[in-house]
Amino acid sequence: MTFELSEEHLAVQEAAREFAQKELKPGVIERDAAMTYPKEQVRMMAELGFMGMMADPAYGGGGMDTLSYVIAMEEISKVDNSCSVIMSVNNSLVCWGLETYGTDEQKQKYLPKLSSGEWIGSFCLSEPEAGSDATSQQTTAIDMGDHYLLNGTKNWITNGGTSSVHLVIAQTDREKGHKGINAFIVETSWPGVTIGAKEDKLGIRSSDTHTIMYNDVKVPKANRIGEDGFGFKFAMKTLEGGRIGIAAQALGIAAGSLDLSMQYARERETFGKPIAQHQAIAFKLAEMATEVEAARLLVYKAARLKDAGEDYGMASAMAKYYASEVAMKAATEAVQIHGGYGFVKEYHVERLFRDAKITQIYEGTTEIQKIVISRQILK
Ligand code: CAA
């Protein structure tokens, strides 16, 4: 395994870093405080090709590999995790899920708009009573002959207020259990789709997270993804890749916490010298640097396995589990290193501290990742 990035990967890294520092950093504190959706910033991400990086150029995507995507995610997540979750859900859940499992007709109709960022997509699996226990779907999609009738409620939906397309998981035949679950492409403009209030969250506050209600929504048969009963496997396979994106987000939070802490520790003086020269601080930085590096190796490994066409389910679970723990720890230490300055908004680390928590929860909690890993190693 080579540890060097190619020139193409380094170029992606440079472009994402420059964009994040120049365009996302100014205003990120204010957007977070006011829960303002980063409309202009998402438009710029679309223009730069960050909204459909891995999608086939034939469908308007960037045709890049997963490694490029995680490299860009890391840089953007050092600064603005509302933007990076909007990007991640659109890239690795919506575009990838559609491109991998959609029909030609579905791809032609929806993918160019989604991969170019003209439209944003949402992935609607979680429900009030079905978060970790994802097979317990209460949303129903009843087969009415030429269409399905969709009814139910989805919770904590990223991009919920802005998306034009939802990939919705719903139960068609309860007797068949998870084999009776289907996935559908639902346009938000269709009658019966209602967007609930925006959630007021601990972190990633400017991303728009909503409850969605479906009331007798008519979904054409042509909008079912895959064979009848494929919906749960669709969700699981798609989340395997999504988790690499969230792992990269967590990596970015950890690496951003380290960068800010290094800079501060070199500048801030106590007892007559920069705090970086106090062993108590230097050792914290050494631990953070080591753990960031280890997390990066796991994230890159999962991306490389996916790019090589090998199984990556366990690797993505390990990457997400470990990187999100590292993010939480590094962001906590960053606040500690900054002392009183770390507790106020101006120095950015308190936001990373709040943002870190969600990486241990969405796209499968830490505990779910451990279920996935333990089942693999014990089988
Ligand atoms: N690939 C393919 N098939 C899979 C699979 C995978 N990775 N994982 C499970 N399956 C299949 C199983 O083989 C089984 O099918 P068969 O009966 O045909 O063999 C079927 O799915 C059911 O699997 P399990 O018996 O393992 O199901 P389970 O009830 O024990 O649950 C679980 C498994 C891993 C815990 C799963 O429920 C899970 O991942 N839960 C977490 C859900 C999640 O990640 N939600 C995130 C919401 S999306 C989000 O956060 C997006 C956002 O906006 C940020």
Side-chain angles (χ1 to χ4, degrees):
M1 182 195 249
T2 170
F3 292 96
E4 298 299 317
L5 293 181
S6 67
E7 277 186 22
E8 289 79 10
H9 291 131
L10 288 170
V12 169
Q13 187 175 53
E14 182 57 33
R17 184 176 294 159
E18 197 180 311
F19 168 68
Q21 300 295 332
K22 276 198 188 147
E23 305 292 350
L24 297 182
K25 199 162 186 178
V28 65
I29 294 172
E30 292 75 13
R31 289 194 298 275
D32 175 79
M35 293 180 13
T36 309
Y37 181 75
K39 193 172 171 202
E40 178 56 16
Q41 291 71 21
V42 173
R43 190 197 60 74
M44 282 190 266
M45 290 202 293
E47 213 169 84
L48 289 165
F50 289 134
M51 296 305 284
M53 292 182 72
M54 297 174 287
D56 189 333
Y59 297 109
M64 291 185 214
D65 58 11
T66 314
L67 188 56
S68 301
Y69 163 61
V70 301
I71 287 168
M73 277 293 296
E74 178 183 343
E75 293 306 320
I76 290 172
S77 303
K78 285 178 181 174
V79 177
D80 189 334
N81 287 284
S82 293
C83 282
S84 68
V85 72
I86 294 165
M87 169 179 162
S88 184
V89 167
N90 202 63
N91 272 274
S92 48
L93 295 182
V94 179
C95 288
W96 188 88
L98 251 180
E99 182 168 357
T100 308
Y101 297 110
T103 61
D104 285 346
E105 196 192 0
Q106 290 169 348
K107 289 193 256 191
Q108 271 158 20
K109 186 165 180 193
Y110 294 108
L111 204 45
K113 285 197 169 85
L114 288 163
S115 61
S116 65
E118 181 187 338
W119 282 7
I120 305 292
S122 292
F123 187 80
C124 305
L125 171 67
S126 301
E127 298 185 351
E129 304 295 331
S132 290
D133 184 7
T135 58
S136 296
Q137 293 290 308
Q138 300 303 309
T139 298
T140 53
I142 305 303
D143 190 339
M144 305 299 280
D146 65 336
H147 67 273
Y148 289 90
L149 206 57
L150 182 68
N151 279 286
T153 300
K154 295 289 176 181
N155 263 25
W156 311 296
I157 300 305
T158 303
N159 300 335
T162 39
S163 51
S164 304
V165 166
H166 293 169
L167 303 187
V168 183
I169 313 299
Q171 188 81 48
T172 297
D173 186 341
R174 200 165 295 289
E175 282 184 9
K176 289 187 184 160
H178 68 79
K179 290 186 166 63
I181 290 174
N182 277 305
F184 302 95
I185 306 164
V186 175
E187 296 183 28
T188 55
S189 60
W190 289 348
V193 180
T194 307
I195 315 296
K198 182 168 175 164
E199 298 288 355
D200 185 351
K201 308 188 294 289
L202 172 72
I204 54 164
R205 286 174 56 76
S206 58
S207 72
D208 61 330
T209 310
H210 293 254
T211 296
I212 311 284
M213 280 78 73
Y214 304 101
N215 187 12
D216 283 344
V217 180
K218 277 187 175 180
V219 183
K221 273 267 162 81
N223 278 35
R224 189 186 73 211
I225 300 175
E227 293 296 303
D228 187 23
F230 179 64
F232 190 71
K233 291 202 173 166
F234 167 80
M236 291 296 106
K237 292 306 291 179
T238 304
L239 277 165
E240 283 184 352
R243 288 167 184 165
I244 302 177
I246 300 304
Q249 179 180 54
L251 169 63
I253 293 172
S257 298
L258 175 63
D259 288 351
L260 290 166
S261 299
M262 297 267 288
Q263 188 187 333
Y264 181 80
R266 286 195 172 108
E267 287 165 4
R268 171 75 169 164
E269 293 195 2
T270 61
F271 306 101
K273 55 184 176 186
I275 61 170
Q277 289 178 26
H278 295 303
Q279 201 176 57
I281 302 300
F283 277 18
K284 280 189 197 299
L285 295 170
E287 284 171 21
M288 288 161 78
T290 307
E291 288 168 6
V292 165
E293 194 60 29
R296 190 176 287 117
L297 289 174
L298 281 178
V299 175
Y300 281 16
K301 179 182 173 184
R304 284 183 156 132
L305 285 173
K306 181 164 176 280
D307 289 333
E310 294 181 34
D311 279 351
Y312 55 91
M314 183 171 76
S316 78
M318 284 181 168
K320 183 181 181 290
Y321 156 50
Y322 186 73
S324 62
E325 299 287 314
V326 170
M328 201 65 239
K329 189 174 162 199
T332 306
E333 290 292 43
V335 172
Q336 191 68 20
I337 290 167
H338 282 72
Y341 293 110
F343 204 65
V344 296
K345 294 193 184 299
E346 193 187 336
Y347 283 75
H348 296 282
V349 288
E350 72 82 36
R351 188 183 67 262
L352 294 179
F353 173 78
R354 288 185 285 104
D355 289 348
K357 189 62 206 169
I358 193 58
T359 66
Q360 295 178 311
I361 297 174
Y362 57 22
E363 299 203 21
T365 60
T366 296
E367 292 72 20
I368 291 295
Q369 307 315 318
K370 289 180 186 176
I371 289 177
V372 173
I373 297 161
S374 59
R375 282 182 182 174
Q376 285 285 327
I377 59 174
L378 293 170
K379 81 177 176 192

